[in-house]
Coordinates of all heavy atoms in Angstrom, one line a residue:
L1 N -3.2 -12.3 -8.3 CA -3.6 -13.3 -9.3 C -3.3 -12.9 -10.7 O -3.8 -11.9 -11.1 CB -5.0 -13.7 -9.1 CG -5.5 -14.2 -7.8 CD1 -7.0 -14.3 -7.8 CD2 -4.9 -15.6 -7.5
F2 N -2.5 -13.7 -11.4 CA -2.2 -13.4 -12.8 C -3.2 -14.2 -13.7 O -3.4 -15.4 -13.4 CB -0.8 -13.8 -13.2 CG 0.2 -12.7 -13.0 CD1 1.0 -12.7 -11.9 CD2 0.3 -11.7 -13.9 CE1 1.9 -11.7 -11.7 CE2 1.2 -10.7 -13.7 CZ 2.0 -10.7 -12.6
F3 N -3.8 -13.6 -14.6 CA -4.6 -14.3 -15.6 C -4.2 -13.8 -17.0 O -3.6 -12.7 -17.1 CB -6.1 -13.9 -15.4 CG -6.6 -14.4 -14.1 CD1 -6.8 -13.5 -13.0 CD2 -7.0 -15.7 -13.9 CE1 -7.3 -14.0 -11.8 CE2 -7.5 -16.2 -12.7 CZ -7.6 -15.3 -11.6
F4 N -4.5 -14.5 -18.0 CA -4.2 -14.1 -19.3 C -4.9 -12.8 -19.6 O -4.5 -12.0 -20.4 CB -4.5 -15.1 -20.4 CG -3.6 -16.3 -20.4 CD1 -4.0 -17.5 -19.9 CD2 -2.3 -16.1 -20.8 CE1 -3.1 -18.6 -19.9 CE2 -1.4 -17.2 -20.8 CZ -1.8 -18.4 -20.3
S5 N -6.0 -12.6 -18.9 CA -6.8 -11.4 -19.2 C -6.5 -10.3 -18.3 O -7.2 -9.2 -18.3 CB -8.3 -11.8 -19.1 OG -8.6 -12.2 -17.8
G6 N -5.5 -10.4 -17.4 CA -5.1 -9.3 -16.5 C -4.6 -9.8 -15.2 O -4.4 -10.9 -15.0
Y7 N -4.4 -8.8 -14.3 CA -3.9 -9.1 -13.0 C -4.9 -8.5 -11.9 O -5.3 -7.3 -12.1 CB -2.5 -8.4 -12.9 CG -1.9 -8.5 -11.5 CD1 -1.6 -9.7 -10.9 CD2 -1.5 -7.3 -10.8 CE1 -1.0 -9.8 -9.6 CE2 -0.9 -7.4 -9.6 CZ -0.7 -8.6 -9.0 OH -0.1 -8.7 -7.8
V8 N -5.2 -9.2 -10.9 CA -6.1 -8.7 -9.8 C -5.3 -8.5 -8.6 O -4.5 -9.4 -8.2 CB -7.2 -9.7 -9.6 CG1 -8.1 -9.2 -8.5 CG2 -8.0 -9.8 -10.9
F9 N -5.4 -7.4 -7.9 CA -4.8 -7.1 -6.6 C -5.7 -6.2 -5.8 O -6.7 -5.8 -6.3 CB -3.4 -6.5 -6.8 CG -3.3 -5.2 -7.5 CD1 -3.2 -4.0 -6.9 CD2 -3.4 -5.2 -8.9 CE1 -3.2 -2.8 -7.5 CE2 -3.3 -4.0 -9.6 CZ -3.2 -2.8 -8.9
E10 N -5.3 -6.0 -4.5 CA -6.1 -5.2 -3.6 C -5.4 -4.0 -3.2 O -4.2 -4.0 -3.0 CB -6.5 -6.0 -2.4 CG -7.5 -7.2 -2.7 CD -7.9 -7.9 -1.5 OE1 -8.2 -7.2 -0.4 OE2 -8.1 -9.1 -1.5
I11 N -6.2 -2.9 -3.0 CA -5.7 -1.7 -2.4 C -6.7 -1.3 -1.3 O -7.8 -1.9 -1.2 CB -5.5 -0.5 -3.4 CG1 -6.9 -0.3 -4.2 CG2 -4.4 -0.9 -4.4 CD1 -6.8 0.9 -5.1
S12 N -6.5 -0.3 -0.5 CA -7.4 0.2 0.5 C -8.7 0.7 -0.2 O -8.6 1.2 -1.3 CB -6.8 1.2 1.4 OG -6.6 2.4 0.7
M13 N -9.8 0.6 0.5 CA -11.0 1.1 -0.1 C -11.0 2.6 -0.3 O -11.5 3.1 -1.3 CB -12.2 0.7 0.8 CG -12.5 -0.8 0.7 SD -14.0 -1.4 1.5 CE -13.5 -1.2 3.2
S14 N -10.4 3.3 0.7 CA -10.3 4.8 0.5 C -9.4 5.2 -0.7 O -9.8 6.1 -1.4 CB -9.7 5.4 1.8 OG -8.4 5.0 2.1
Y15 N -8.3 4.4 -0.9 CA -7.5 4.7 -2.1 C -8.2 4.4 -3.4 O -8.1 5.1 -4.4 CB -6.2 4.0 -2.0 CG -5.1 4.3 -3.0 CD1 -4.9 5.7 -3.4 CD2 -4.4 3.4 -3.6 CE1 -4.0 6.0 -4.3 CE2 -3.4 3.7 -4.5 CZ -3.2 5.0 -4.9 OH -2.3 5.3 -5.9
A16 N -9.0 3.3 -3.3 CA -9.8 2.9 -4.5 C -10.7 4.1 -4.9 O -10.9 4.4 -6.1 CB -10.6 1.7 -4.2
R17 N -11.4 4.7 -3.9 CA -12.3 5.8 -4.2 C -11.5 7.0 -4.8 O -12.0 7.6 -5.7 CB -13.0 6.3 -2.9 CG -14.1 5.3 -2.5 CD -14.8 5.8 -1.3 NE -15.8 4.9 -0.9 CZ -15.5 3.9 0.1 NH1 -14.3 3.9 0.6 NH2 -16.5 3.1 0.4
K18 N -10.3 7.2 -4.3 CA -9.5 8.3 -4.9 C -9.1 8.0 -6.3 O -9.1 8.9 -7.2 CB -8.2 8.5 -4.0 CG -8.4 9.1 -2.7 CD -7.1 9.3 -1.9 CE -7.4 9.8 -0.5 NZ -6.1 9.8 0.2
L19 N -8.7 6.8 -6.6 CA -8.3 6.4 -8.0 C -9.5 6.5 -8.9 O -9.3 6.7 -10.1 CB -7.7 5.0 -8.0 CG -6.4 4.8 -7.4 CD1 -6.0 3.3 -7.5 CD2 -5.3 5.7 -8.1
M20 N -10.7 6.4 -8.5 CA -11.9 6.5 -9.3 C -12.3 7.9 -9.7 O -13.2 8.1 -10.5 CB -13.1 5.7 -8.7 CG -12.9 4.2 -8.8 SD -14.4 3.3 -8.3 CE -14.2 3.3 -6.6
Q21 N -11.7 8.9 -9.1 CA -12.0 10.3 -9.4 C -11.6 10.5 -10.8 O -10.6 10.1 -11.3 CB -11.3 11.2 -8.4 CG -11.6 11.1 -7.0 CD -13.1 11.3 -6.7 OE1 -13.6 12.3 -7.2 NE2 -13.7 10.5 -6.0
P22 N -12.5 11.3 -11.6 CA -12.2 11.5 -13.0 C -10.9 12.2 -13.3 O -10.3 11.9 -14.3 CB -13.4 12.4 -13.4 CG -14.4 12.2 -12.4 CD -13.7 11.8 -11.1
K23 N -10.4 13.0 -12.4 CA -9.2 13.8 -12.7 C -8.0 13.2 -11.9 O -7.1 14.0 -11.5 CB -9.4 15.2 -12.4 CG -10.3 15.9 -13.3 CD -10.5 17.4 -13.1 CE -11.5 17.9 -14.1 NZ -11.6 19.4 -14.0
N24 N -8.0 11.9 -11.6 CA -6.9 11.3 -10.8 C -5.6 11.4 -11.5 O -5.4 11.0 -12.6 CB -7.2 9.8 -10.5 CG -6.2 9.2 -9.6 OD1 -5.2 8.8 -10.1 ND2 -6.4 9.3 -8.3
K25 N -4.6 12.0 -10.8 CA -3.3 12.3 -11.4 C -2.4 11.1 -11.6 O -1.6 11.0 -12.5 CB -2.6 13.4 -10.6 CG -3.2 14.7 -10.7 CD -2.5 15.8 -9.8 CE -3.2 17.1 -9.9 NZ -2.5 18.1 -9.0
V26 N -2.6 10.1 -10.7 CA -1.8 8.9 -10.7 C -2.1 8.1 -12.0 O -1.2 7.8 -12.8 CB -2.1 8.0 -9.5 CG1 -1.4 6.6 -9.7 CG2 -1.7 8.6 -8.2
L27 N -3.3 7.9 -12.3 CA -3.7 7.1 -13.5 C -3.4 7.9 -14.8 O -3.1 7.3 -15.8 CB -5.2 6.7 -13.4 CG -5.5 5.8 -12.3 CD1 -7.0 5.4 -12.3 CD2 -4.6 4.5 -12.3
R28 N -3.6 9.2 -14.7 CA -3.2 10.1 -15.9 C -1.7 10.0 -16.2 O -1.3 9.9 -17.3 CB -3.7 11.5 -15.7 CG -5.2 11.7 -15.8 CD -5.5 13.1 -15.7 NE -7.0 13.3 -15.7 CZ -7.7 13.5 -16.8 NH1 -7.1 13.6 -18.0 NH2 -9.0 13.7 -16.7
A29 N -0.9 10.2 -15.2 CA 0.5 10.1 -15.3 C 1.0 8.7 -15.8 O 1.8 8.6 -16.7 CB 1.2 10.5 -14.0
L30 N 0.4 7.7 -15.3 CA 0.7 6.3 -15.7 C 0.3 6.1 -17.2 O 1.0 5.6 -17.9 CB 0.0 5.3 -14.8 CG 0.2 3.9 -15.1 CD1 1.7 3.5 -14.9 CD2 -0.6 3.0 -14.1
G31 N -0.9 6.6 -17.5 CA -1.4 6.5 -18.9 C -0.5 7.2 -19.9 O -0.5 6.9 -21.1
S32 N 0.2 8.2 -19.5 CA 1.1 8.9 -20.4 C 2.3 8.1 -20.8 O 3.0 8.4 -21.7 CB 1.5 10.3 -19.9 OG 2.4 10.1 -18.8
K33 N 2.6 7.1 -20.0 CA 3.8 6.2 -20.2 C 3.5 4.8 -20.6 O 4.3 4.2 -21.3 CB 4.6 6.2 -18.9 CG 5.1 7.5 -18.4 CD 6.1 8.1 -19.2 CE 6.6 9.5 -18.5 NZ 7.7 10.0 -19.2
I34 N 2.4 4.3 -20.1 CA 2.1 2.9 -20.4 C 0.6 2.8 -20.8 O -0.3 3.4 -20.2 CB 2.2 2.0 -19.1 CG1 3.7 2.0 -18.6 CG2 1.7 0.6 -19.3 CD1 3.9 1.3 -17.3
K35 N 0.3 1.9 -21.8 CA -1.0 1.6 -22.2 C -1.6 0.6 -21.2 O -0.9 -0.4 -21.0 CB -1.1 1.1 -23.6 CG -0.8 2.2 -24.6 CD -0.9 1.6 -26.0 CE -0.5 2.6 -27.1 NZ -0.7 2.1 -28.4
Y36 N -2.8 0.8 -20.7 CA -3.3 -0.1 -19.8 C -4.9 0.0 -19.8 O -5.4 0.9 -20.2 CB -2.8 0.1 -18.4 CG -3.3 1.4 -17.7 CD1 -4.5 1.4 -17.0 CD2 -2.6 2.6 -17.9 CE1 -4.9 2.6 -16.5 CE2 -3.0 3.7 -17.3 CZ -4.2 3.8 -16.6 OH -4.6 5.0 -16.1
E37 N -5.5 -1.1 -19.3 CA -6.9 -1.1 -19.0 C -7.0 -1.4 -17.5 O -6.3 -2.2 -16.9 CB -7.6 -2.2 -19.7 CG -7.7 -2.0 -21.2 CD -8.4 -3.2 -21.9 OE1 -9.5 -3.5 -21.5 OE2 -7.7 -3.8 -22.8
I38 N -8.0 -0.7 -16.8 CA -8.1 -0.9 -15.4 C -9.6 -0.9 -15.0 O -10.4 -0.1 -15.6 CB -7.3 0.2 -14.6 CG1 -7.2 -0.2 -13.1 CG2 -7.9 1.6 -14.8 CD1 -6.1 0.6 -12.4
A39 N -9.9 -1.7 -14.0 CA -11.2 -1.6 -13.4 C -11.0 -1.6 -11.9 O -10.2 -2.4 -11.3 CB -12.1 -2.8 -13.8
I40 N -11.6 -0.7 -11.2 CA -11.4 -0.5 -9.7 C -12.8 -0.6 -9.1 O -13.7 0.1 -9.4 CB -10.8 0.9 -9.4 CG1 -9.5 1.1 -10.2 CG2 -10.6 1.1 -8.0 CD1 -9.0 2.5 -10.3
G41 N -12.8 -1.5 -8.1 CA -14.1 -1.7 -7.3 C -14.0 -0.9 -6.0 O -13.0 -0.7 -5.4
L42 N -15.2 -0.6 -5.5 CA -15.3 0.1 -4.2 C -14.8 -0.8 -3.1 O -14.4 -0.3 -2.0 CB -16.7 0.5 -3.9 CG -17.3 1.7 -4.8 CD1 -18.8 1.9 -4.5 CD2 -16.5 3.0 -4.4
N43 N -14.7 -2.1 -3.3 CA -14.2 -3.0 -2.3 C -12.7 -3.0 -2.3 O -12.1 -3.8 -1.5 CB -14.7 -4.4 -2.5 CG -14.3 -5.0 -3.9 OD1 -13.7 -4.3 -4.7 ND2 -14.7 -6.2 -4.1
G44 N -12.0 -2.3 -3.1 CA -10.5 -2.2 -3.2 C -9.9 -3.2 -4.1 O -8.7 -3.2 -4.3
K45 N -10.7 -4.0 -4.8 CA -10.1 -4.9 -5.8 C -9.8 -4.1 -7.1 O -10.6 -3.3 -7.6 CB -11.1 -6.0 -6.2 CG -11.5 -6.9 -5.0 CD -10.6 -8.0 -4.9 CE -11.2 -9.0 -3.9 NZ -10.2 -9.8 -3.2
V46 N -8.7 -4.4 -7.7 CA -8.2 -3.7 -8.9 C -7.9 -4.8 -9.9 O -7.2 -5.8 -9.7 CB -7.0 -2.9 -8.7 CG1 -6.5 -2.2 -10.0 CG2 -7.3 -1.8 -7.6
W47 N -8.5 -4.7 -11.1 CA -8.1 -5.5 -12.3 C -7.3 -4.6 -13.2 O -7.7 -3.5 -13.6 CB -9.4 -6.0 -13.0 CG -9.1 -6.8 -14.2 CD1 -8.8 -8.1 -14.4 CD2 -9.2 -6.2 -15.6 NE1 -8.6 -8.4 -15.7 CE2 -8.8 -7.2 -16.5 CE3 -9.4 -4.9 -16.1 CZ2 -8.8 -7.0 -17.8 CZ3 -9.4 -4.7 -17.4 CH2 -9.1 -5.8 -18.3
L48 N -6.2 -5.1 -13.6 CA -5.3 -4.4 -14.5 C -4.8 -5.2 -15.6 O -4.4 -6.4 -15.4 CB -4.1 -3.9 -13.6 CG -3.0 -3.1 -14.3 CD1 -3.5 -1.8 -14.8 CD2 -1.8 -3.0 -13.4
K49 N -4.8 -4.7 -16.8 CA -4.3 -5.4 -18.0 C -3.4 -4.5 -18.8 O -3.7 -3.3 -19.0 CB -5.5 -5.8 -18.9 CG -5.0 -6.6 -20.1 CD -6.2 -7.0 -20.9 CE -5.8 -7.8 -22.1 NZ -6.9 -8.2 -23.0
C50 N -2.2 -5.0 -19.1 CA -1.2 -4.3 -19.9 C -0.8 -5.3 -21.0 O -1.0 -6.5 -21.0 CB 0.0 -3.9 -19.1 SG -0.4 -2.7 -17.8
D51 N 0.0 -4.7 -22.0 CA 0.4 -5.5 -23.1 C 1.6 -6.5 -22.7 O 1.8 -7.5 -23.4 CB 0.8 -4.6 -24.3 CG 1.9 -3.6 -24.0 OD1 2.2 -3.4 -22.8 OD2 2.5 -3.1 -24.9
K52 N 2.4 -6.1 -21.7 CA 3.5 -6.9 -21.3 C 3.5 -7.1 -19.8 O 3.0 -6.3 -19.0 CB 4.8 -6.2 -21.6 CG 5.1 -5.9 -23.1 CD 6.4 -5.2 -23.2 CE 6.6 -4.7 -24.7 NZ 7.7 -3.8 -24.8
I53 N 4.0 -8.3 -19.3 CA 4.1 -8.5 -17.9 C 4.9 -7.4 -17.2 O 4.5 -7.0 -16.1 CB 4.7 -9.9 -17.6 CG1 3.9 -11.0 -18.2 CG2 5.0 -10.1 -16.1 CD1 2.6 -11.3 -17.4
Q54 N 6.0 -7.0 -17.8 CA 6.8 -5.9 -17.1 C 5.9 -4.7 -16.9 O 6.1 -4.0 -15.9 CB 8.0 -5.5 -18.0 CG 9.0 -6.6 -18.3 CD 8.7 -7.3 -19.6 OE1 7.6 -7.6 -20.0 NE2 9.8 -7.6 -20.3
N55 N 5.0 -4.3 -17.8 CA 4.2 -3.2 -17.6 C 3.1 -3.4 -16.5 O 2.8 -2.4 -15.8 CB 3.5 -2.8 -19.0 CG 4.5 -2.2 -19.9 OD1 5.6 -1.8 -19.6 ND2 4.1 -2.1 -21.2
I56 N 2.7 -4.6 -16.4 CA 1.7 -4.9 -15.3 C 2.5 -4.7 -14.0 O 1.9 -4.1 -13.0 CB 1.2 -6.3 -15.4 CG1 0.2 -6.5 -16.6 CG2 0.5 -6.7 -14.1 CD1 -0.2 -7.9 -16.9
V57 N 3.7 -5.2 -13.9 CA 4.5 -5.0 -12.6 C 4.7 -3.6 -12.4 O 4.5 -3.1 -11.2 CB 5.8 -5.9 -12.7 CG1 6.7 -5.6 -11.5 CG2 5.5 -7.3 -12.8
A58 N 5.1 -2.8 -13.4 CA 5.4 -1.4 -13.2 C 4.2 -0.6 -12.8 O 4.2 0.2 -11.9 CB 6.0 -0.8 -14.5
A59 N 3.1 -0.9 -13.5 CA 1.8 -0.2 -13.2 C 1.3 -0.5 -11.8 O 0.9 0.4 -11.1 CB 0.7 -0.5 -14.2
T60 N 1.4 -1.7 -11.4 CA 1.0 -2.1 -10.0 C 1.9 -1.4 -9.0 O 1.4 -0.9 -8.0 CB 1.1 -3.7 -9.8 OG1 0.3 -4.3 -10.8 CG2 0.7 -4.1 -8.5
N61 N 3.2 -1.4 -9.2 CA 4.1 -0.6 -8.3 C 3.8 0.8 -8.3 O 3.9 1.5 -7.2 CB 5.6 -0.9 -8.7 CG 6.1 -2.2 -8.4 OD1 5.7 -2.8 -7.4 ND2 7.0 -2.7 -9.1
V62 N 3.5 1.4 -9.4 CA 3.1 2.9 -9.4 C 1.9 3.1 -8.5 O 1.8 4.0 -7.7 CB 2.8 3.4 -10.8 CG1 2.1 4.7 -10.8 CG2 4.2 3.5 -11.6
I63 N 0.9 2.2 -8.7 CA -0.4 2.4 -7.9 C -0.1 2.2 -6.4 O -0.5 3.0 -5.6 CB -1.4 1.4 -8.5 CG1 -1.9 1.8 -9.9 CG2 -2.6 1.3 -7.5 CD1 -2.7 0.8 -10.6
Y64 N 0.6 1.2 -6.1 CA 1.0 1.0 -4.7 C 1.8 2.1 -4.1 O 1.5 2.6 -3.0 CB 1.7 -0.3 -4.5 CG 0.9 -1.6 -4.4 CD1 1.3 -2.7 -5.1 CD2 -0.3 -1.6 -3.7 CE1 0.5 -3.9 -5.0 CE2 -1.1 -2.8 -3.6 CZ -0.6 -3.9 -4.3 OH -1.4 -5.1 -4.2
N65 N 2.8 2.6 -4.8 CA 3.7 3.6 -4.3 C 3.1 5.0 -4.3 O 3.7 5.9 -3.7 CB 5.0 3.6 -5.1 CG 5.9 2.4 -4.9 OD1 6.0 2.0 -3.7 ND2 6.4 1.8 -5.9
S66 N 2.0 5.2 -5.0 CA 1.4 6.5 -5.1 C 0.3 6.7 -4.0 O -0.2 7.8 -3.8 CB 0.7 6.7 -6.4 OG 1.7 6.7 -7.4
E67 N 0.0 5.7 -3.2 CA -1.0 5.9 -2.2 C -0.6 6.9 -1.1 O -1.3 7.7 -0.7 CB -1.4 4.6 -1.5 CG -2.5 4.7 -0.5 CD -3.1 3.4 0.0 OE1 -2.5 2.3 -0.4 OE2 -4.1 3.4 0.7
F68 N 0.7 6.8 -0.7 CA 1.2 7.7 0.3 C 2.4 8.5 -0.2 O 3.5 8.1 -0.1 CB 1.6 6.9 1.6 CG 0.5 6.1 2.1 CD1 0.4 4.7 2.0 CD2 -0.6 6.7 2.8 CE1 -0.6 3.9 2.5 CE2 -1.6 5.9 3.3 CZ -1.6 4.6 3.2
L69 N 2.1 9.6 -0.9 CA 3.2 10.4 -1.5 C 3.9 11.2 -0.4 O 3.2 11.7 0.6 CB 2.6 11.3 -2.5 CG 2.0 10.7 -3.8 CD1 1.4 11.8 -4.7 CD2 3.1 9.9 -4.5
A70 N 5.2 11.3 -0.5 CA 5.9 12.2 0.4 C 5.5 13.7 0.2 O 5.1 14.0 -0.9 CB 7.4 12.0 0.3
E71 N 5.7 14.5 1.2 CA 5.4 15.9 1.0 C 6.2 16.5 -0.2 O 7.4 16.3 -0.3 CB 5.7 16.7 2.3 CG 5.2 18.1 2.2 CD 5.3 18.8 3.6 OE1 5.2 18.1 4.6 OE2 5.5 20.0 3.6
G72 N 5.5 17.1 -1.1 CA 6.1 17.7 -2.2 C 6.4 16.8 -3.4 O 6.8 17.2 -4.5
Q73 N 6.1 15.5 -3.2 CA 6.3 14.5 -4.3 C 5.1 14.5 -5.2 O 3.9 14.6 -4.7 CB 6.5 13.1 -3.7 CG 7.0 12.1 -4.7 CD 7.2 10.8 -4.0 OE1 6.7 10.5 -3.0 NE2 8.1 10.0 -4.6
T74 N 5.3 14.4 -6.5 CA 4.2 14.4 -7.4 C 4.0 13.0 -8.0 O 4.9 12.2 -7.9 CB 4.4 15.4 -8.6 OG1 5.5 14.9 -9.4 CG2 4.7 16.8 -8.2
E75 N 2.8 12.8 -8.5 CA 2.5 11.5 -9.1 C 3.4 11.2 -10.3 O 3.8 10.1 -10.5 CB 1.0 11.5 -9.5 CG 0.0 11.5 -8.4 CD -0.3 12.9 -7.8 OE1 0.4 13.9 -8.3 OE2 -1.1 13.1 -7.0
K76 N 3.7 12.2 -11.1 CA 4.5 12.0 -12.2 C 5.9 11.6 -11.8 O 6.5 10.7 -12.4 CB 4.7 13.3 -13.0 CG 5.5 13.2 -14.3 CD 5.6 14.5 -15.1 CE 6.4 14.4 -16.3 NZ 7.6 13.6 -16.3
E77 N 6.4 12.1 -10.7 CA 7.7 11.7 -10.2 C 7.7 10.2 -9.8 O 8.7 9.5 -10.0 CB 8.1 12.5 -9.0 CG 8.5 14.0 -9.3 CD 8.7 14.8 -8.1 OE1 8.2 14.5 -7.0 OE2 9.3 15.9 -8.2
V78 N 6.6 9.8 -9.2 CA 6.5 8.3 -8.8 C 6.5 7.5 -10.0 O 7.2 6.5 -10.1 CB 5.3 8.1 -8.0 CG1 5.0 6.6 -7.7 CG2 5.3 8.8 -6.6
V79 N 5.7 7.8 -11.1 CA 5.7 7.1 -12.3 C 7.1 7.0 -12.9 O 7.6 5.9 -13.3 CB 4.7 7.7 -13.3 CG1 4.8 7.0 -14.7 CG2 3.3 7.6 -12.8
D80 N 7.8 8.1 -13.0 CA 9.1 8.2 -13.7 C 10.1 7.3 -12.9 O 10.9 6.6 -13.4 CB 9.6 9.6 -13.8 CG 8.8 10.4 -14.8 OD1 8.1 9.8 -15.7 OD2 8.9 11.7 -14.8
K81 N 10.0 7.4 -11.5 CA 11.0 6.7 -10.7 C 10.8 5.2 -10.8 O 11.7 4.4 -11.0 CB 10.8 7.1 -9.2 CG 11.7 6.5 -8.2 CD 11.5 7.0 -6.8 CE 12.3 6.4 -5.8 NZ 12.0 6.9 -4.5
V82 N 9.5 4.7 -10.8 CA 9.2 3.3 -10.9 C 9.6 2.8 -12.2 O 10.3 1.7 -12.4 CB 7.7 3.0 -10.6 CG1 7.4 1.6 -11.0 CG2 7.4 3.3 -9.1
L83 N 9.3 3.5 -13.3 CA 9.7 3.0 -14.6 C 11.2 3.0 -14.9 O 11.7 2.1 -15.5 CB 9.0 3.9 -15.7 CG 7.4 3.8 -15.7 CD1 6.9 4.7 -16.8 CD2 7.0 2.4 -16.0
K84 N 11.9 4.0 -14.3 CA 13.3 4.0 -14.4 C 13.9 2.8 -13.7 O 14.8 2.1 -14.2 CB 13.9 5.3 -13.8 CG 15.3 5.4 -13.9 CD 15.8 6.8 -13.4 CE 17.3 6.9 -13.5 NZ 17.8 8.2 -13.0
R85 N 13.4 2.4 -12.5 CA 13.9 1.2 -11.8 C 13.6 -0.1 -12.6 O 14.4 -1.0 -12.6 CB 13.2 1.1 -10.4 CG 13.9 1.9 -9.3 CD 13.3 1.5 -8.0 NE 11.9 1.7 -8.1 CZ 11.1 2.0 -7.0 NH1 11.7 2.1 -5.8 NH2 9.8 2.1 -7.1
M86 N 12.5 -0.1 -13.2 CA 12.0 -1.3 -13.9 C 12.9 -1.5 -15.2 O 13.1 -2.7 -15.6 CB 10.6 -1.2 -14.4 CG 9.6 -1.2 -13.2 SD 9.6 -2.7 -12.3 CE 9.0 -3.9 -13.5
R87 N 13.4 -0.5 -15.7 CA 14.2 -0.6 -17.0 C 15.7 -0.9 -16.7 O 16.4 -1.1 -17.7 CB 14.1 0.7 -17.8 CG 12.6 0.9 -18.3 CD 12.5 2.0 -19.3 NE 11.2 2.0 -19.8 CZ 10.4 3.0 -19.8 NH1 10.8 4.2 -19.3 NH2 9.1 3.0 -20.3
K88 N 16.1 -0.9 -15.5 CA 17.5 -1.2 -15.2 C 17.8 -2.7 -15.4 O 17.0 -3.6 -15.3 CB 17.9 -0.8 -13.8 CG 18.0 0.7 -13.6 CD 18.5 1.0 -12.2 CE 18.7 2.5 -12.1 NZ 19.2 2.9 -10.8

């Protein structure tokens, strides 16, 4: 759901708990590239707000694509790969 005040989407409850960890690498890597506000519920609902629609799409893709990282893949690599694809 798109709203002027942000975007709401769902992730798994177990992944929501991982994202809520204080030292979560996905959100830290994302924050180094994009300014955003996020609220994550234990029920898996995520509210995300960015300054541009393109950044909302990119941040959502980063979050979705980071749930199941390939062996040896880092969160920073996922962020860089998604942002590179979005800028083409």
Side-chain angles (χ1 to χ4, degrees):
L1 297 172
F2 272 101
F3 296 102
F4 288 108
S5 60
Y7 175 59
V8 177
F9 59 100
E10 290 186 41
I11 57 175
S12 70
M13 290 186 290
S14 60
Y15 187 43
R17 286 186 186 90
K18 288 179 186 178
L19 288 178
M20 286 192 276
Q21 297 298 317
K23 295 184 180 183
N24 183 273
K25 293 179 182 179
V26 173
L27 297 180
R28 287 183 183 270
L30 182 60
S32 71
K33 304 286 184 174
I34 296 175
K35 291 183 182 181
Y36 68 90
E37 294 178 54
I38 194 166
I40 304 166
L42 288 173
N43 62 355
K45 298 271 190 208
V46 177
W47 172 84
L48 178 68
K49 183 178 180 183
C50 298
D51 58 344
K52 299 178 189 173
I53 295 288
Q54 298 97 318
N55 288 344
I56 291 174
V57 172
T60 303
N61 284 331
V62 166
I63 291 169
Y64 279 138
N65 290 316
S66 297
E67 183 170 7
F68 303 105
L69 295 176
E71 189 173 326
Q73 189 176 27
T74 67
E75 292 82 355
K76 184 181 180 317
E77 290 172 340
V78 172
V79 170
D80 292 341
K81 183 178 178 181
V82 168
L83 293 179
K84 185 177 180 181
R85 274 190 307 207
M86 295 294 296
R87 291 189 176 126
K88 285 185 177 183

